[in-house]
Amino acid sequence: MIKLLATDLDGTFLNVFHTTDKYLLDTIDMINDQNKYFVVATGRHM
């Protein structure tokens, strides 16, 4: 059973303009509504 979805930022979650779209944001809401976790993984410095 999948309980966590992890994604990187560039090219997956963010497009070339460093933005995302409503489809992805709605998908994250759907994941949260199912009591699952969404996390962003990145190699960027803080």
Side-chain angles (χ1 to χ4, degrees):
M1 172 184 289
I2 297 172
K3 288 294 216 172
L4 181 134
L5 175 69
T7 184
D8 68 326
L9 288 175
D10 297 324
T12 304
F13 187 70
L14 300 177
N15 60 27
V16 295
F17 303 108
H18 299 285
T19 62
T20 190
D21 59 24
K22 183 168 174 19
Y23 176 78
L24 284 175
L25 297 175
D26 290 343
T27 302
I28 293 169
D29 286 339
M30 182 182 68
I31 291 168
N32 290 330
D33 290 344
Q34 295 176 5
N35 293 322
K36 297 180 181 178
Y37 298 96
F38 175 83
V39 296
V40 175
T42 184
R44 292 183 179 198
H45 298 285
M46 291 193 60

